[in-house]
PDB file of all heavy atoms in Angstrom:
ATOM      1  N   PRO A 296    -107.594  28.618  53.782  1.00  0.00           N
ATOM      2  CA  PRO A 296    -106.876  29.946  53.697  1.00  0.00           C
ATOM      3  C   PRO A 296    -105.419  29.848  53.246  1.00  0.00           C
ATOM      4  O   PRO A 296    -104.760  28.898  53.455  1.00  0.00           O
ATOM      5  CB  PRO A 296    -106.969  30.479  55.092  1.00  0.00           C
ATOM      6  CG  PRO A 296    -106.885  29.273  55.982  1.00  0.00           C
ATOM      7  CD  PRO A 296    -107.466  28.120  55.177  1.00  0.00           C
ATOM      8  N   SER A 428    -110.166  44.442  66.373  1.00  0.00           N
ATOM      9  CA  SER A 428    -109.931  45.762  65.693  1.00  0.00           C
ATOM     10  C   SER A 428    -110.551  45.760  64.318  1.00  0.00           C
ATOM     11  O   SER A 428    -110.803  44.717  63.738  1.00  0.00           O
ATOM     12  CB  SER A 428    -108.439  46.002  65.631  1.00  0.00           C
ATOM     13  OG  SER A 428    -107.874  46.070  66.889  1.00  0.00           O
ATOM     14  N   ILE A 451    -106.901  50.738  61.414  1.00  0.00           N
ATOM     15  CA  ILE A 451    -106.007  50.530  60.336  1.00  0.00           C
ATOM     16  C   ILE A 451    -106.719  50.882  59.019  1.00  0.00           C
ATOM     17  O   ILE A 451    -107.888  50.525  58.852  1.00  0.00           O
ATOM     18  CB  ILE A 451    -105.504  49.112  60.286  1.00  0.00           C
ATOM     19  CG1 ILE A 451    -104.467  48.958  61.499  1.00  0.00           C
ATOM     20  CG2 ILE A 451    -104.815  48.735  59.016  1.00  0.00           C
ATOM     21  CD1 ILE A 451    -104.065  47.561  61.758  1.00  0.00           C
ATOM     22  N   ARG A 617    -126.474 111.948  23.685  1.00  0.00           N
ATOM     23  CA  ARG A 617    -127.617 111.081  24.132  1.00  0.00           C
ATOM     24  C   ARG A 617    -127.642 109.767  23.279  1.00  0.00           C
ATOM     25  O   ARG A 617    -128.569 109.018  23.472  1.00  0.00           O
ATOM     26  CB  ARG A 617    -128.899 111.846  23.993  1.00  0.00           C
ATOM     27  CG  ARG A 617    -128.862 113.161  24.662  1.00  0.00           C
ATOM     28  CD  ARG A 617    -130.065 113.288  25.649  1.00  0.00           C
ATOM     29  NE  ARG A 617    -129.953 114.499  26.361  1.00  0.00           N
ATOM     30  CZ  ARG A 617    -130.675 115.573  26.049  1.00  0.00           C
ATOM     31  NH1 ARG A 617    -131.612 115.512  25.091  1.00  0.00           N
ATOM     32  NH2 ARG A 617    -130.483 116.744  26.771  1.00  0.00           N
ATOM     33  N   GLN A 649    -102.992  93.188  20.701  1.00  0.00           N
ATOM     34  CA  GLN A 649    -102.357  93.637  22.004  1.00  0.00           C
ATOM     35  C   GLN A 649    -103.075  94.711  22.627  1.00  0.00           C
ATOM     36  O   GLN A 649    -102.613  95.524  23.473  1.00  0.00           O
ATOM     37  CB  GLN A 649    -100.892  94.180  21.682  1.00  0.00           C
ATOM     38  CG  GLN A 649     -99.930  93.053  21.202  1.00  0.00           C
ATOM     39  CD  GLN A 649     -99.523  92.146  22.447  1.00  0.00           C
ATOM     40  OE1 GLN A 649     -98.762  92.660  23.290  1.00  0.00           O
ATOM     41  NE2 GLN A 649     -99.840  90.877  22.425  1.00  0.00           N
ATOM     42  N   ARG A 686     -89.613  77.261  41.012  1.00  0.00           N
ATOM     43  CA  ARG A 686     -88.952  76.897  42.236  1.00  0.00           C
ATOM     44  C   ARG A 686     -89.195  75.383  42.540  1.00  0.00           C
ATOM     45  O   ARG A 686     -88.475  74.747  43.224  1.00  0.00           O
ATOM     46  CB  ARG A 686     -89.461  77.733  43.435  1.00  0.00           C
ATOM     47  CG  ARG A 686     -88.785  79.113  43.458  1.00  0.00           C
ATOM     48  CD  ARG A 686     -89.836  80.146  44.090  1.00  0.00           C
ATOM     49  NE  ARG A 686     -90.260  79.733  45.376  1.00  0.00           N
ATOM     50  CZ  ARG A 686     -89.725  80.124  46.514  1.00  0.00           C
ATOM     51  NH1 ARG A 686     -88.675  80.889  46.476  1.00  0.00           N
ATOM     52  NH2 ARG A 686     -90.183  79.805  47.668  1.00  0.00           N
ATOM     53  N   LEU A 708     -79.956  65.112  55.720  1.00  0.00           N
ATOM     54  CA  LEU A 708     -79.336  65.523  56.983  1.00  0.00           C
ATOM     55  C   LEU A 708     -80.070  64.937  58.130  1.00  0.00           C
ATOM     56  O   LEU A 708     -79.441  64.589  59.116  1.00  0.00           O
ATOM     57  CB  LEU A 708     -79.355  67.110  57.016  1.00  0.00           C
ATOM     58  CG  LEU A 708     -78.488  67.837  55.962  1.00  0.00           C
ATOM     59  CD1 LEU A 708     -78.653  69.320  56.146  1.00  0.00           C
ATOM     60  CD2 LEU A 708     -77.052  67.424  56.108  1.00  0.00           C
ATOM     61  N   TYR A 731     -74.987  81.984  19.389  1.00  0.00           N
ATOM     62  CA  TYR A 731     -75.855  81.074  18.653  1.00  0.00           C
ATOM     63  C   TYR A 731     -77.312  81.409  18.947  1.00  0.00           C
ATOM     64  O   TYR A 731     -78.172  80.791  18.347  1.00  0.00           O
ATOM     65  CB  TYR A 731     -75.569  79.630  18.968  1.00  0.00           C
ATOM     66  CG  TYR A 731     -74.284  79.143  18.352  1.00  0.00           C
ATOM     67  CD1 TYR A 731     -73.212  78.726  19.083  1.00  0.00           C
ATOM     68  CD2 TYR A 731     -74.117  79.120  16.914  1.00  0.00           C
ATOM     69  CE1 TYR A 731     -72.016  78.279  18.521  1.00  0.00           C
ATOM     70  CE2 TYR A 731     -72.980  78.617  16.319  1.00  0.00           C
ATOM     71  CZ  TYR A 731     -71.886  78.214  17.090  1.00  0.00           C
ATOM     72  OH  TYR A 731     -70.774  77.749  16.573  1.00  0.00           O
ATOM     73  N   LEU A 832     -73.086  66.841  60.949  1.00  0.00           N
ATOM     74  CA  LEU A 832     -72.496  68.087  61.276  1.00  0.00           C
ATOM     75  C   LEU A 832     -73.374  69.306  60.817  1.00  0.00           C
ATOM     76  O   LEU A 832     -73.029  70.449  61.153  1.00  0.00           O
ATOM     77  CB  LEU A 832     -71.078  68.317  60.544  1.00  0.00           C
ATOM     78  CG  LEU A 832     -70.152  67.183  60.886  1.00  0.00           C
ATOM     79  CD1 LEU A 832     -68.804  67.396  60.143  1.00  0.00           C
ATOM     80  CD2 LEU A 832     -69.887  67.226  62.439  1.00  0.00           C
ATOM     81  N   LEU A 859     -62.715  68.188  44.273  1.00  0.00           N
ATOM     82  CA  LEU A 859     -63.310  67.769  45.552  1.00  0.00           C
ATOM     83  C   LEU A 859     -62.717  68.744  46.584  1.00  0.00           C
ATOM     84  O   LEU A 859     -61.562  68.770  46.891  1.00  0.00           O
ATOM     85  CB  LEU A 859     -62.953  66.340  45.943  1.00  0.00           C
ATOM     86  CG  LEU A 859     -63.411  65.868  47.323  1.00  0.00           C
ATOM     87  CD1 LEU A 859     -64.896  65.898  47.445  1.00  0.00           C
ATOM     88  CD2 LEU A 859     -62.807  64.483  47.644  1.00  0.00           C
TER      89      LEU A 859
END
Side-chain angles (χ1 to χ4, degrees):
S428 299
I451 288 169
R617 306 234 178 102
Q649 293 283 297
R686 280 150 57 93
L708 294 180
Y731 287 117
L832 303 180
L859 174 64

